[in-house]
Amino acid sequence: MAAVSDRITVIGVGNAFRRDDGAGPAVVARLRERAAHGGLPAGIRLVCCDGEPGRLIGLWEDAGLAVVVDAAHAHPGHPGRIHRLELDGCAAWQAGTASSHGLGLGEAVELARALDRMPRRLLVYAVEGADGSLGTGLTSAVAAAVGPLTERIEQEITHYLAGPHGKASSRSVRL
């Protein structure tokens, strides 16, 4: 197993040229803006990824805290609704959790677990989207979720840096 550090990595998964699939990269862009103005502690890695399992594992494998933000499809959907999943080294991936990518986050979690490459703590924020067609720009419901989600991730980072880490859980949150 790779040595797990106290490094924090935030990964925005998605494609900014597929409308709401750009939710993850939009959150990372907002976090970069805040980091540039001193709003985040130094040393937090903020990256975007297409969701390919090998790349995701490479980005999170030695992190103490990894936060993944991705667009999701739900039926019936509520565009802009945010789902929070917390996975530790033992928690199982929830069947039926849908990414906007065919192979991606679920497979990455299971593969990382099998290869003993999970971060100490993995948080996943899935934002329900409305439009995954070609084009740029988030729909209004998803765009409205970016700011509150960015603030929530900052709170997660602050909580993580402050000390003890909670038990694994999952829930939907309206921010």
Side-chain angles (χ1 to χ4, degrees), residues 20-21 23 70-74 81 83 97-100 125-130:
D20 286 344
D21 192 46
D70 195 4
H73 298 291
R81 180 168 49 184
H83 301 268
T97 303
S99 168
S100 61
Y125 282 97
V127 181
E128 288 186 34

Side-chain angles (χ1 to χ4, degrees), residues 7 19 41 50 68 93 118 121 131 140 146:
R7 186 181 75 204
R19 307 269 301 153
D50 62 4
V68 176
W93 179 254
M118 287 289 287
R121 186 165 173 221
D131 184 356
S140 60
V146 169

Side-chain angles (χ1 to χ4, degrees), residues 73 85 87 91-99 105-107 109-110 113 170:
H73 298 291
L85 303 167
L87 305 171
W93 179 254
Q94 298 290 320
T97 303
S99 168
L105 191 54
E107 291 77 12
V109 168
E110 292 306 317
R113 185 174 289 111
S170 65

Side-chain angles (χ1 to χ4, degrees), residues 38-49:
L40 288 175
I44 295 174
R45 187 161 66 161
L46 303 168
V47 294
C48 292
C49 177

Side-chain angles (χ1 to χ4, degrees), residues 23-75:
V27 169
V28 167
R30 183 77 58 94
L31 287 166
R32 284 181 180 149
E33 289 171 15
R34 292 189 182 199
H37 294 95
L40 288 175
I44 295 174
R45 187 161 66 161
L46 303 168
V47 294
C48 292
C49 177
D50 62 4
E52 191 278 323
R55 282 189 277 279
L56 283 169
I57 293 168
L59 291 170
W60 77 41
E61 73 177 310
D62 61 346
L65 171 65
V67 180
V68 176
V69 182
D70 195 4
H73 298 291
H75 300 285

Side-chain angles (χ1 to χ4, degrees), residues 71-157:
H73 298 291
H75 300 285
H78 300 281
R81 180 168 49 184
I82 299 166
H83 301 268
R84 179 186 184 275
L85 303 167
E86 184 171 349
L87 305 171
D88 63 17
C90 298
W93 179 254
Q94 298 290 320
T97 303
S99 168
S100 61
H101 314 282
L103 277 180
L105 191 54
E107 291 77 12
V109 168
E110 292 306 317
L111 181 59
R113 185 174 289 111
L115 297 174
D116 202 19
R117 297 287 190 244
M118 287 289 287
R120 180 180 306 127
R121 186 165 173 221
L122 175 61
L123 298 178
V124 177
Y125 282 97
V127 181
E128 288 186 34
D131 184 356
S133 66
L134 291 175
T136 58
L138 303 172
T139 60
S140 60
V142 173
V146 169
L149 180 52
T150 300
E151 290 174 16
R152 175 61 193 234
I153 291 169
E154 285 184 58
Q155 292 170 359
E156 296 277 11
I157 290 168

